[in-house]
Amino acid sequence: MPSYQFVCQECANRFDVVESVAERERHRQQCPGCGSRDVHQNLSGIQVRTARKS
Ligand SMILES: [Zn+2]
C-alpha cells in the first residue's frame, strides 16, 4: 500500500502515513514526535522518475 510522507514544521520530523488514512485524515495529521498539527505533506517523498536532460 502506498504511503505519503509528511514533514512536521515544528521539529522537522518525517513520518509516513498510509494512503487510506492520509486520504481521510489529510487535514488532521499530527506529528507523532511532538504532537504538533503543523505538518505538511512532503511531495518530494513520492518517488518520481526524473528525466535528465543534458
Ligand atoms: Zn513534530
Side-chain angles (χ1 to χ4, degrees):
M1 183 173 284
S3 63
Y4 294 115
Q5 183 174 68
F6 285 81
V7 180
C8 176
Q9 302 300 295
E10 289 291 330
C11 69
N13 181 40
R14 296 181 184 180
F15 58 99
D16 294 318
V17 179
V18 293
E19 185 178 32
S20 61
V21 178
E23 189 76 17
R24 192 179 58 204
E25 304 278 317
R26 182 173 298 164
H27 304 292
R28 301 180 58 185
Q29 290 302 322
Q30 195 168 9
C31 174
C34 69
S36 171
R37 274 184 278 184
D38 189 11
V39 297
H40 288 190
Q41 189 172 349
N42 183 12
L43 297 179
S44 64
I46 300 175
Q47 286 195 334
V48 181
R49 187 180 299 178
T50 54
R52 291 178 59 184
K53 285 183 178 179
S54 61

